[in-house]
Amino acid sequence: PTPRPSRGFLIEHSYLYALLASRTRFLGSATGDYRTYYRGLYRDEAEGWLGSVGALAELGRATASRGIPASVFLIPELHDLSASYPFRDIHAKIAAAGRAAGLPVVDLLPGFEGYSPETALWVTPLDAHHNAEGQARIARGIYDAIATGLDPRTDRGGHAEP
């Protein structure tokens, strides 16, 4: 689900206020931590998950009927890239939905696994999105998958790992 932005004079005109408001909102949320939050997004009955499964199925049908290559690439969450990566089951769940839609699926986690400290891949210490090094690892994983034989035009139901 797409979060609804907060409105108001201070939040629209003060970066400091917006930062403090977002941190306060996160700390006071019922989710507790990022693991609980992400796990909630992929519950079988979660509206966003159901919409994603439907969108993957629609993408699979649309690309197959038009002969357009399409693939699903799973990008890891960057808080814990150790051998005990906490979202392997979610990767498997998304991969199953992609394959059910007739799309090749490539999990990019192997290209990140064991990287430490994970924060060296973050945009900032407070923003765990992929920085330039993280994006480069994603690009290498996609390139390697294609270079080693992933062909979305012919391997519609396959599964590849870089």
Side-chain angles (χ1 to χ4, degrees):
T2 304
R4 295 192 192 338
S6 299
R7 299 278 181 225
F9 179 82
L10 279 176
I11 206 156
E12 292 174 8
H13 293 90
S14 169
Y15 289 119
L16 177 60
Y17 181 83
L19 175 66
L20 292 173
S22 71
R23 296 296 171 214
T24 303
R25 191 171 34 250
F26 175 76
L27 292 173
S29 72
T31 61
D33 65 22
Y34 77 97
R35 290 177 190 200
T36 304
Y37 172 75
Y38 284 127
R39 292 211 162 280
L41 295 176
Y42 295 94
R43 289 184 338 270
D44 288 338
E45 69 280 0
E47 183 181 335
W49 171 245
L50 295 171
S52 295
V53 171
L56 282 170
E58 184 179 339
L59 177 67
R61 285 190 302 272
T63 57
S65 70
R66 293 172 178 84
I68 299 170
S71 302
V72 174
F73 290 91
L74 302 174
I75 300 171
E77 200 286 327
L78 296 179
H79 278 86
D80 178 358
L81 297 170
S82 69
S84 60
Y85 179 73
F87 302 115
R88 288 181 196 280
D89 59 327
I90 292 174
H91 281 230
K93 186 174 190 175
I94 298 167
R99 286 191 301 274
L103 298 165
V105 175
V106 178
D107 192 345
L108 299 177
L109 178 60
F112 287 84
E113 219 163 16
Y115 191 96
S116 182
E118 290 89 342
T119 54
L121 295 172
W122 295 10
V123 173
T124 71
L126 297 175
D127 185 348
H129 286 93
H130 300 77
N131 64 14
E133 173 61 23
Q135 294 293 331
R137 286 174 176 269
I138 292 168
R140 274 193 298 275
I142 293 170
Y143 175 84
D144 289 348
I146 293 168
T148 58
L150 173 70
D151 184 351
R153 295 167 294 185
T154 59
D155 186 22
R156 297 206 57 81
H159 175 74
E161 293 184 21

